[in-house]
């Protein structure tokens, strides 16, 4: 069965500092990998996705993520965090064929100190 | 606004009552998904439709839960005889049907259910 682990429940960074959110997945085949962001009262918004090809993917809002097959990881990074980035971030995995249900991690709550 | 909409946004009910939520997907999307998100957890898949056909249901979807998409447009999720454990955010998402590959799921703002 597929699963996603986000080991950090809460992370606090100072505005302007760099950010890395960790994600490890377990999946029996080539997965689709995603990062979503959820702000209070808002729906989940897709930041970026990885299907194949270049293992460093760029997303919206200045975020990027790197797929490392050997480590089963898909960590999210941002070089300089803005106060508006404070939100909850979810890593998710989906099947390679069919594109049906997503399996989400438990999320990482990001707090940004001014 | 052409995004996914959900109504109501909040619902408070007493244990044992029935509740129904509605989801209106993006109009050209033929796939519709329901997820449940409890406090401190990520969303968990419940079920999905392609047009009016319900193609997959999670084991989380007990017999007290029923979802419909009668004309392949909006969908309803009904919970009968609610229990306190049903308190959660219920999320709806829609996408176009993928050929080979994956099409992005667009999420609505959710319906927050509180069972007293």
């Amino acid at each position: 069965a597929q699963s996603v682990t986000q080991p950090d429940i809460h992370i606090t960074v100072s505005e302007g500092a760099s950010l890395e959110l960790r994600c490890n997945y377990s999946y029996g085949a080539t997965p689709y990998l995603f990062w979503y962001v959820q702000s209070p009262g808002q729906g989940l918004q897709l930041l970026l996705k990885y299907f194949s090809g270049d293992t460093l993917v760029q997303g919206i809002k200045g975020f990027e993520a790197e797929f490392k097959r050997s480590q089963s990881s898909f960590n999210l990074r941002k070089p300089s965090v803005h106060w508006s980035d404070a939100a909850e971030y979810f890593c998710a995995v989906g099947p390679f064929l069919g594109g049906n249900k997503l399996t989400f991690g438990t999320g990482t709550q990001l707090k940004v100190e001014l | 606004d052409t995004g996914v909409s959900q109504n109501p946004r909040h619902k408070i009910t007493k244990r044992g009552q029935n509740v129904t939520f509605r989801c209106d997907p993006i109009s050209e999307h033929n796939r519709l998904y329901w997820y449940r998100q409890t406090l401190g957890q990520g969303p968990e898949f419940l079920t999905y439709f392609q047009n009016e056909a319900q193609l997959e249901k999670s084991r989380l979807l007990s017999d007290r839960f029923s979802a419909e998409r009668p004309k392949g447009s909006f969908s309803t999720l009904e919970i009968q005889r609610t229990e306190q454990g049903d308190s959660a955010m219920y999320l709806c998402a829609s996408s176009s049907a993928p050929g080979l590959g994956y099409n992005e799921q667009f999420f609505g703002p959710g319906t927050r259910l509180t069972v007293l």
Side-chain angles (χ1 to χ4, degrees):
Chain A
Q2 58 211 45
S3 65
V4 177
T5 301
Q6 294 181 246
D8 304 306
I9 298 174
H10 299 280
I11 282 186
T12 300
V13 299
S14 299
E15 189 175 37
S18 63
L19 171 70
E20 183 169 25
L21 302 182
R22 296 183 291 166
C23 172
N24 292 95
Y25 69 90
S26 173
Y27 195 72
T30 303
Y32 286 133
L33 293 160
F34 308 86
W35 276 98
Y36 281 86
V37 61
Q38 187 178 39
S39 300
Q42 304 293 317
L44 289 159
Q45 181 182 23
L46 182 66
L47 286 175
L48 47 79
K49 58 185 180 289
Y50 174 76
F51 295 160
S52 64
D54 192 346
T55 56
L56 184 64
V57 294
Q58 303 297 319
I60 62 171
K61 303 185 180 185
F63 286 92
E64 66 179 26
E66 186 171 13
F67 171 63
K68 293 185 178 180
R69 184 185 301 275
S70 61
Q71 299 176 19
S72 297
S73 69
F74 188 57
N75 294 350
L76 182 71
R77 301 195 294 247
K78 187 170 185 177
S80 178
V81 170
H82 188 263
W83 64 267
S84 61
D85 293 324
E88 189 151 26
Y89 291 80
F90 293 94
C91 181
V93 62
F96 183 67
L97 291 178
N100 302 335
K101 61 187 178 184
L102 295 174
T103 299
F104 287 85
T106 52
T108 297
Q109 185 72 47
L110 173 65
K111 180 180 177 181
V112 180
E113 290 183 333
L114 300 176
Chain B
D1 184 22
T2 57
V4 178
S5 62
Q6 293 186 246
N7 287 288
R9 295 290 305 274
H10 302 272
K11 179 70 175 179
I12 300 174
T13 191
K14 294 182 179 180
R15 185 164 51 97
Q17 298 296 304
N18 299 344
V19 294
T20 300
F21 311 139
R22 175 177 171 131
C23 172
D24 287 89
I26 294 171
S27 58
E28 61 267 27
H29 285 176
N30 51 12
R31 282 201 173 179
L32 187 148
Y33 307 79
W34 285 99
Y35 292 83
R36 181 174 70 184
Q37 185 178 16
T38 54
L39 202 61
Q41 299 297 316
E44 297 171 293
F45 171 80
L46 292 178
T47 187
Y48 91 95
F49 294 82
Q50 180 155 320
N51 300 315
E52 66 275 11
Q54 189 173 17
L55 297 186
E56 187 174 349
K57 292 195 294 185
S58 162
R59 289 172 300 171
L60 294 174
L61 214 64
S62 76
D63 56 6
R64 297 185 297 106
F65 288 70
S66 62
E68 293 182 342
R69 195 182 182 198
K71 297 183 179 180
S73 57
F74 73 91
S75 175
T76 58
L77 177 68
E78 180 183 17
I79 308 175
Q80 296 182 329
R81 305 181 303 282
T82 53
E83 302 173 355
Q84 288 183 326
D86 297 331
S87 295
M89 177 77 83
Y90 290 84
L91 297 168
C92 177
S94 70
S95 75
S96 51
L100 289 177
Y102 185 89
N103 285 1
E104 179 182 346
Q105 293 182 30
F106 292 83
F107 283 82
T111 295
R112 182 168 294 284
L113 172 66
T114 302
V115 181
L116 303 177

